[in-house]
């Protein structure tokens, strides 16, 4: 073979992260690897529960060493976790983690799928998990994924036989996989799916085991002796200039919102799988042994294999275009395959190879990154052939309006062709994440369209097909419409093209807290998704709330411009809560969505449509002290929540902390995971403790127990103790303690309505200086007393709490607001309460 010098992919992988929408441009090495993959007809499916659960080492090994088509089925999108890079939580966090998974698969070579299961937070047992998830629906989605992906082998990340030893979602993912393995071939099971797919029976099921699942390496070996198949996933890829475990490290590092950025690893490394059920292995070292993974697997596939194996054997790395005539011959044969499943997969793979060998660049770029349904948009087309082969652009077709424009243009070697066309966006749907279009239950997303279930993102409606003739043979390349432009400080930028509403509205806060019966000005931002939009704006409020004026007329001339309008909302006299909804009416049509744009460098820009609404709460709450310093941790919206009830919250830059600038604060609060992510705190802790000693009030919210020292003034050991049941009974240990009585009386009612959990990473031991205030526990567990601890330090008070205020305050939980106000008020007096009220 005429092999060219190996090319490192490091720069390309970094580029993927920074410019997430740029089209791939394959090197000769990458083309050759695609041909190797084209010539392997075997499929593996990896199954687990969350983003970051997947073993990228094994996925990368199967995809790049074995050359198998490899998928990862994550039952959830990770919506219930925390976010280390921004304020997004719940459904918006799920959107980010979805894209991070896609970025990871873009690196390790896998494909991505999901079920409709909603990650509702940590679960300690599968029984608890399946109380929240609809087992039949999630199981049906696993069966659906297997029937569509048609894996020869399935590998579970977790052990289905050990419930209660790890996250309940983890064990449940394995249990459902084991159950689905026996159902997918049964045509009496989930019959409605068979309108769109067909039954399938995987050959084997494995468990990806390791010593992590046992107490130690010795127990692991004793329990699995002679039962395992192993792989050395440290294999080196000369064509990539890196080893498999380096590639896997880069893939897992895409999970930035979970803090998974890590050093790459190299060298020999073993992975193990345990056979669970199916056909016995003929070769203990090959999970595909006995499975035909050649072209002969398919009827009349041998003829295709003869062509493609020869190309692989004699691939020209310098002039890959010489293979185009044979590739086109193989493409025509693949197009005639009677196996619909493999025909679709192999057509997609070989077209990517043909496009790369020809040096084709095909693009349709819109003038703007968004437009509205049924509008007409201008597209700029670019077509370029960088091979010496005869290629003709016969026509272009818009898939959204079926508009076909004849071109019959000869694409001469390296002569760019540009032209413009208009298309009509004939659709009434938007480009938003399909799983968020209907209100979700706590444990399940609602998706009725069977063809969408499992897809990682909403399929793009706005596509353009370039109808080409290459060496006398017709072939179609279909591209998503994009928005390509440049900025001086960033260079060339690609963004996805979105179909969005003509009008979207936005409330600054998702929870509106009324701490007394005074009216508040509520500002609504109206955004135009097109030129010259106008209409009427109104707020819908619950009974006994009033809003003035009833309507506000608006008119916005320019697309993407925004105007703000103010309503005055008056709460009832007594404590109450409900929903406030924003409704805009234009040309008889109702617009009630908020546009949320998520824009990080490592993922494509995301446009999410949520209900334009807020929770409104009339809360009887008292406060002592007003001036609060806040040190940001991993990202939360607690400061905004405190401002809602009238606190003056000042963000403290950790670098600027000294012995003179803290005394002015009535209290200082540290955000979640502050000691985990703010390195400067270990140098500034002495100033914070000095502030407490001189009479200050310091509240530290939860930190994980991994390699962290919160440097409390007294002994304080963090653990992984948590109470995941948000309805768990709370027992008051110190009924007379000021923390529960001043300035607000805290009762059992204040622990009602909590969301997702009670709290996490509670300390499990502490010095006698600390007083535990509350006790709580999940069913079947011992009481946990470390959720809220307070200690006197000098003249001041040090408080550590693992209660999930970062979830409860944004959710508008009244009792959480009252309790947090008490934390901020420790050490104050009734006189200060009156001063605060007067202020």
């Amino acid at each position: 073979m005429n092999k060219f010098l190996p090319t490192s992919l490091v720069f390309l992988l970094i580029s993927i992260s920074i410019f997430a929408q740029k089209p791939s441009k394959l090197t000769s090495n990458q083309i050759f690897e695609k041909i190797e993959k084209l010539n392997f007809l075997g499929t593996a499916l990896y199954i687990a529960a969350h983003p970051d659960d997947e073993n990228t080492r094994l996925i990368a090994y199967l995809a790049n060493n074995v050359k198998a088509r490899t998928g990862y089925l994550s039952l959830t999108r990770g919506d219930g976790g925390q976010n280390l890079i921004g304020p997004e939580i719940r459904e918006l966090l799920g959107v980010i983690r979805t894209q991070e998974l896609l970025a990871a698969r873009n690196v390790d070579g896998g494909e991505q799928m999901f079920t409709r299961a909603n990650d509702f937070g940590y679960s300690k047992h599968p029984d608890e998990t399946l109380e929240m998830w609809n087992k039949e629906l999630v199981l049906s989605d696993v069966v659906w994924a297997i029937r569509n992906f048609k894996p020869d082998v399935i590998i579970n990340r977790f052990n289905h036989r050990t419930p209660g030893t790890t996250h309940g979602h983890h064990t449940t993912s394995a249990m459902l996989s084991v159950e689905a393995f026996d159902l997918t071939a049964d045509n009496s099971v989930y019959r409605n799916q068979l309108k769109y797919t067909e039954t399938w029976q995987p050959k084997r099921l494995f468990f990806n085991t390791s010593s992590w699942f046992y107490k130690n390496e010795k127990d692991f070996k004793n329990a699995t002796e002679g039962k395992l198949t192993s792989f050395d996933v440290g294999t080196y890829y000369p064509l990539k200039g890196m080893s498999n475990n380096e590639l896997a490290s880069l893939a897992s590092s895409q999970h930035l919102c979970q803090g998974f950025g890590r050093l790459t690893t190299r060298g020999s490394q073993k992975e193990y799988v345990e056979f669970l059920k199916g056909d016995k292995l003929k070769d203990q070292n090959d999970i595909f042994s006995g499975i035909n993974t050649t072209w002969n697997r398919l009827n009349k596939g041998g003829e295709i294999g003869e062509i493609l194996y020869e190309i692989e054997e004699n691939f020209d790395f310098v002039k890959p275009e010489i293979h185009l005539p044979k590739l086109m011959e193989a493409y025509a044969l693949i197009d005639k395959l009677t196996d619909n499943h493999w025909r679709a997969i192999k057509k997609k793979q070989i077209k990517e190879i043909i496009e790369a060998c020809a040096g084709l660049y095909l693009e349709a770029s819109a003038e703007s990154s968004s437009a509205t349904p049924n509008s007409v948009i201008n597209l700029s087309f670019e077509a370029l052939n960088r091979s010496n082969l005869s290629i003709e652009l016969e026509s272009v077709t818009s898939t959204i309006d079926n508009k076909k424009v004849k071109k019959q243009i000869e694409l001469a070697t390296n002569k760019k062709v540009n032209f413009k066309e208009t298309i009509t966006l004939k659709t009434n749907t938007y480009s938003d994440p399909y799983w968020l279009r209907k209100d979700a239950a706590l444990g399940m997303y609602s998706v009725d369209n069977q063809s969408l279930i499992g897809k990682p993102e909403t399929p793009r409606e706005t596509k353009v097909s370039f109808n080409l003739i290459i060496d006398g043979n017709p072939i179609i390349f279909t591209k998503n419409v994009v928005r390509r432009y440049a900025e001086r400080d960033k260079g060339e930028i690609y963004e996805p093209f979105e179909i969005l509403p003509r009008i979207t509205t936005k409330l600054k806060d998702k929870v509106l807290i009324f701490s007394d019966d005074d009216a508040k000005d509520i500002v609504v931002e109206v955004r135009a998704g097109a030129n010259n939009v106008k209409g009427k704006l109104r707020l819908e409020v619950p009974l006994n709330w009033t809003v003035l004026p009833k309507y506000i007329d608006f008119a916005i001339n320019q697309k993407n411009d925004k105007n703000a309008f103010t309503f005055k909302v008056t709460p009832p006299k007594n404590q109450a809560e409900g929903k406030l909804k924003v409704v805009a009416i234009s040309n008889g049509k109702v617009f009630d969505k908020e546009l949320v744009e998520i824009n990080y460098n490592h993922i494509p820009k995301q446009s999410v449509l949520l209900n334009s609404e807020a929770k409104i709460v009339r809360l009887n709450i008292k406060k002592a002290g007003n001036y609060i310093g806040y040190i940001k941790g991993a990202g939360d919206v607690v400061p905004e929540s405190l401002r809602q009830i009238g606190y003056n919250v000042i963000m403290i830059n950790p670098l600027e902390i000294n012995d003179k600038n803290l005394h002015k604060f009535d209290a200082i609060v540290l955000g979640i995971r502050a000691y985990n992510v703010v390195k400067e705190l270990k140098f500034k802790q002495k100033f914070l403790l000095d502030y407490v000693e001189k009479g200050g009030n310091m509240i530290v919210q939860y930190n994980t127990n991994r390699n962290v020292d919160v440097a409390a003034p007294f002994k304080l050991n963090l653990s992984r103790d948590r109470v995941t049941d948000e309805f768990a009974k709370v027992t008051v240990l110190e009924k007379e303690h000021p923390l529960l009585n001043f300035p607000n009386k805290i009762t059992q009612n204040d622990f009602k309505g909590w969301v997702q959990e009670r709290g996490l990473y509670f300390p499990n031991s502490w010095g006698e200086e600390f007083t535990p205030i509350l006790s709580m526990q999940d069913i079947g567990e011992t009481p946990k007393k470390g959720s809220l601890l307070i200690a006197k330090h000098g003249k001041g008070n040090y408080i550590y709490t693992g209660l999930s205020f970062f979830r409860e305050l944004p959710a508008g939980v009244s009792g959480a607001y009252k309790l947090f106000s008490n934390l901020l008020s420790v050490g104050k007096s009734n006189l200060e309460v009156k001063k605060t009220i007067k202020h």
Side-chain angles (χ1 to χ4, degrees):
M1 284 188 284
N2 181 19
K3 294 208 181 243
F4 201 53
L5 290 174
T7 302
S8 173
L9 290 182
V10 174
F11 175 75
L12 292 174
L13 293 171
I14 292 171
S15 298
I16 286 170
S17 295
I18 298 174
F19 304 107
Q21 276 300 112
K22 281 196 172 186
S24 60
K25 300 166 186 176
L26 303 181
T27 66
S28 291
N29 288 351
Q30 291 169 304
I31 296 172
F32 177 72
E33 290 176 315
K34 297 270 184 194
I35 292 171
E36 290 181 305
K37 201 172 185 72
L38 179 66
N39 283 334
F40 189 90
L41 280 73
T43 305
L45 179 61
Y46 200 86
I47 298 180
H50 309 108
D52 84 357
D53 283 346
E54 80 273 27
N55 184 341
T56 55
R57 293 183 300 274
L58 190 49
I59 290 175
Y61 177 86
L62 292 170
N64 295 277
N65 187 277
V66 179
K67 308 299 180 184
R69 182 180 182 229
T70 307
Y72 174 43
L73 174 61
S74 176
L75 266 57
T76 77
R77 297 175 186 267
D79 332 71
Q82 287 88 50
N83 183 0
L84 293 183
I85 62 173
E88 297 89 357
I89 58 174
R90 291 302 305 146
E91 67 272 5
L92 296 180
L93 179 59
V95 171
I96 293 174
R97 291 189 172 181
T98 294
Q99 292 300 317
E100 289 183 340
L101 273 174
L102 288 171
R105 299 295 78 77
N106 202 20
V107 173
D108 62 30
E111 299 178 41
Q112 187 61 51
M113 290 156 278
F114 295 95
T115 74
R116 287 171 288 181
N118 189 344
D119 179 1
F120 56 83
Y122 193 87
S123 166
K124 294 181 177 178
H125 197 279
D127 291 347
E128 179 189 351
T129 298
L130 294 174
E131 285 179 6
M132 299 295 184
W133 291 353
N134 182 320
K135 180 188 174 182
E136 275 304 300
L137 291 183
V138 182
L139 179 60
S140 76
D141 289 356
V142 177
V143 170
W144 170 252
I146 294 170
R147 284 174 171 174
N148 281 311
F149 200 65
K150 293 180 170 47
D152 298 300
V153 296
I154 295 175
I155 303 172
N156 292 342
R157 182 68 179 108
F158 299 104
N159 192 346
H160 67 287
R161 299 160 296 196
T162 54
T165 61
T166 181
H167 196 322
H169 297 181
H170 292 169
T171 310
T172 302
S173 71
M175 292 167 61
L176 294 179
S177 174
V178 170
E179 190 170 349
F181 185 88
D182 295 326
L183 298 177
T184 55
D186 187 342
N187 61 14
S188 69
V189 174
Y190 305 122
R191 293 182 60 85
N192 62 306
Q193 295 180 2
L194 301 181
K195 300 174 186 176
Y196 312 95
T197 189
E198 57 195 6
T199 58
W200 177 254
Q201 181 57 60
K203 297 295 185 184
R204 300 183 182 108
L205 178 66
F206 298 91
F207 161 44
N208 181 199
T209 188
S210 71
S211 59
W212 184 86
F213 293 96
Y214 296 81
K215 291 181 180 179
N216 51 55
E217 191 73 30
K218 182 180 178 181
D219 286 355
F220 170 56
K221 287 184 178 180
N222 290 338
T224 59
E225 190 73 38
K227 298 180 180 179
L228 304 182
T229 298
S230 65
F231 316 93
D232 184 354
V233 295
T235 184
Y236 179 66
Y237 302 129
L239 293 177
K240 298 181 186 296
M242 66 175 69
S243 58
N244 183 80
N245 37 19
E246 287 179 281
L247 192 68
S249 298
L250 288 168
S252 62
S253 287
Q254 302 305 307
H255 296 296
L256 294 184
C257 75
Q258 302 190 70
F260 265 52
R262 60 181 176 137
L263 290 172
T264 56
T265 57
R266 286 157 290 280
S268 179
Q269 188 174 4
K270 289 281 189 178
E271 281 291 336
Y272 303 90
V273 295
E274 176 191 351
F275 175 79
L276 296 179
K277 60 169 60 179
D279 297 346
K280 294 288 186 181
L281 286 171
K282 295 184 178 181
D283 178 352
Q284 195 65 27
N285 296 313
D286 179 10
I287 60 174
F288 285 97
S289 65
I291 301 171
N292 189 348
T293 59
T294 71
W295 278 103
N296 288 322
R297 176 175 190 158
L298 305 180
N299 182 30
K300 296 186 178 180
E303 186 179 354
I304 300 168
E306 286 181 12
I307 298 170
L308 294 177
Y309 294 137
E310 193 276 335
I311 292 175
E312 180 181 341
E313 181 66 26
N314 298 286
F315 184 71
D316 192 318
F317 285 77
V318 176
K319 295 189 68 176
E321 67 181 84
I322 70 168
H323 301 294
L324 281 169
K326 285 293 185 181
L327 285 168
M328 289 302 299
E329 184 181 343
Y331 170 76
L333 293 173
I334 290 172
D335 196 36
K336 295 176 182 177
L337 286 172
T338 56
D339 188 311
N340 295 333
H341 174 72
W342 281 111
R343 183 177 69 242
I345 292 168
K346 294 304 173 183
K347 274 185 70 174
K348 180 180 178 181
Q349 290 178 345
I350 197 170
K351 282 168 69 173
E352 187 178 10
I353 293 166
I354 291 168
E355 184 178 2
C357 286
L360 279 171
Y361 186 84
L362 305 170
E363 178 186 278
S365 177
E367 291 179 331
S368 172
S369 60
S370 68
T372 58
N374 298 303
S375 62
V376 177
I377 62 169
N378 298 315
L379 295 182
S380 296
F381 288 80
E382 180 177 331
L384 176 63
N385 165 29
R386 286 170 282 196
S387 74
N388 290 306
L389 205 68
S390 171
I391 300 179
E392 179 186 345
L393 175 60
E394 193 272 331
S395 62
V396 291
T397 305
S398 163
T399 60
I400 200 166
D401 62 359
N402 294 317
K403 180 181 180 181
K404 185 173 183 178
V405 181
K406 282 195 171 295
K407 290 297 175 184
Q408 295 179 322
I409 299 172
E410 183 69 26
L411 298 181
T413 303
N414 214 27
K415 300 294 184 183
K416 182 173 61 174
V417 172
N418 294 103
F419 54 92
K420 295 183 182 295
E421 298 291 345
T422 61
I423 64 171
T424 303
L425 302 179
K426 289 187 176 179
T427 181
N428 291 311
T429 60
Y430 302 125
S431 306
D432 56 322
Y434 69 87
W435 64 95
L436 298 180
R437 288 174 178 166
K438 297 180 71 175
D439 290 341
L442 180 60
M444 295 295 298
Y445 284 113
S446 178
V447 181
D448 297 328
N449 186 338
Q450 184 68 47
S451 65
L452 288 176
I453 291 172
K455 291 185 182 299
E457 53 187 347
T458 305
R460 298 283 166 182
E461 282 194 88
T462 315
K463 298 175 180 285
V464 170
S465 293
F466 292 80
N467 307 306
L468 303 182
I469 298 175
I470 298 180
D471 199 30
N473 298 298
I475 188 169
I476 299 172
F477 295 96
T478 301
K479 302 291 183 181
N480 291 329
V481 171
V482 297
R483 163 66 170 149
R484 180 168 67 98
Y485 63 102
E487 290 186 1
R488 290 186 177 184
D489 59 339
K490 295 179 181 177
E492 187 176 60
I493 298 172
Y494 285 78
E495 288 183 350
F497 177 79
E498 311 279 16
I499 302 175
L500 298 173
R502 283 177 57 82
I503 299 166
T504 53
T505 61
K506 180 181 179 181
L507 292 158
K508 178 184 175 184
D509 298 300
K510 290 300 180 186
V511 175
L512 301 168
I513 305 293
F514 292 74
S515 56
D516 52 38
D517 56 10
D518 291 342
K520 269 190 178 184
D521 286 340
I522 304 300
V523 178
V524 179
E525 181 183 272
V526 179
R527 176 188 179 275
N531 292 332
N532 302 315
V533 300
K534 60 183 179 179
K536 290 182 177 293
L537 188 68
R538 75 168 190 263
L539 298 184
E540 294 181 355
V541 294
L543 189 67
N544 297 326
W545 295 70
T546 59
V547 57
L548 291 173
K550 290 187 176 181
Y551 288 93
I552 295 178
D553 293 319
F554 66 88
I556 304 176
N557 295 327
Q558 192 170 352
K559 179 182 176 179
N560 293 329
D561 196 8
K562 303 170 185 175
N563 279 355
F565 303 91
T566 302
F567 293 87
K568 191 171 287 293
V569 175
T570 304
K573 296 287 184 183
N574 299 317
Q575 190 158 313
E577 60 181 56
K579 276 188 179 179
L580 178 148
K581 298 182 180 181
V582 183
V583 177
I585 300 174
S586 178
N587 296 326
K589 187 173 181 180
V590 172
F591 296 89
D592 56 3
K593 296 295 182 182
E594 173 191 355
L595 172 63
V596 179
E597 294 182 332
I598 302 173
N599 206 358
Y600 293 101
N601 283 338
H602 67 301
I603 60 173
K605 179 181 176 183
Q606 300 295 298
S607 298
V608 184
L609 296 174
L610 302 177
N611 291 333
S612 187
E613 60 186 27
K615 183 177 181 179
I616 49 175
V617 180
R618 166 67 173 95
L619 177 62
N620 291 317
I621 189 170
K622 297 176 182 177
K623 311 191 304 291
N626 178 62
Y627 199 57
I628 309 300
Y630 201 93
I631 300 174
K632 183 179 178 181
D636 59 58
V637 294
V638 170
E640 291 85 342
S641 299
L642 297 179
R643 292 182 183 116
Q644 279 275 331
I645 55 174
Y647 283 105
N648 183 6
V649 182
I650 306 300
M651 303 306 292
I652 298 175
N653 181 348
L655 289 172
E656 297 175 357
I657 293 175
N658 57 48
D659 58 352
K660 296 183 176 63
N661 61 359
L662 299 180
H663 67 278
K664 58 189 174 184
F665 295 111
D666 293 314
I668 291 175
V669 182
L670 275 71
I672 60 172
R673 294 192 183 188
Y675 290 100
N676 294 119
V677 299
V678 183
K679 297 176 182 178
E680 294 80 12
L681 281 179
K682 64 181 177 181
F683 306 112
K684 302 295 184 178
Q685 184 71 359
K686 58 185 177 183
F687 301 121
L688 291 167
L689 294 182
D690 184 63
Y691 159 80
V692 177
E693 196 169 14
K694 291 178 179 177
N697 184 18
M698 179 173 163
I699 297 108
V700 180
Q701 296 181 83
Y702 97 91
N703 288 262
T704 67
N705 63 341
R706 293 173 226 166
N707 302 315
V708 66
D709 179 10
V710 299
F714 313 109
K715 175 188 171 184
L716 186 68
N717 295 323
L718 303 187
S719 73
R720 297 183 66 85
D721 286 353
R722 62 204 302 162
V723 176
T724 61
D725 182 359
E726 63 267 42
F727 308 111
K729 181 183 177 182
V730 176
T731 301
V732 174
L733 300 175
E734 297 288 335
K735 293 183 179 180
E736 303 306 317
H737 198 285
L739 207 57
L740 299 179
N741 292 279
F742 177 82
N744 303 287
K745 178 71 174 177
I746 303 299
T747 69
Q748 284 295 329
N749 284 335
D750 293 308
F751 294 100
K752 293 180 179 178
W754 284 50
V755 299
Q756 187 159 325
E757 62 200 353
R758 288 296 188 195
L760 62 171
Y761 290 99
F762 298 162
N764 61 359
S765 64
W766 47 85
E768 61 182 11
E769 295 87 353
F770 282 103
T771 300
I773 303 298
L774 304 172
S775 175
M776 57 192 71
Q777 67 200 86
D778 283 320
I779 295 174
E781 295 197 352
T782 58
K784 304 296 184 286
K785 299 181 180 180
S787 64
L788 181 56
L789 303 172
I790 183 170
K792 195 75 177 174
H793 180 52
K795 298 179 181 179
N797 294 278
Y798 179 96
I799 299 171
Y800 188 92
T801 179
L803 294 171
S804 59
F805 288 108
F806 73 102
R807 296 196 190 280
E808 312 312 320
L809 299 187
V813 177
S814 301
Y817 273 93
K818 290 169 65 178
L819 180 55
F820 207 94
S821 175
N822 282 15
L823 303 188
L824 296 172
S825 303
V826 168
K828 305 295 188 297
S829 66
N830 276 310
L831 180 62
E832 288 171 285
V833 173
K834 294 176 182 178
K835 286 181 179 178
T836 302
I837 294 172
K838 185 177 180 181
H839 176 77

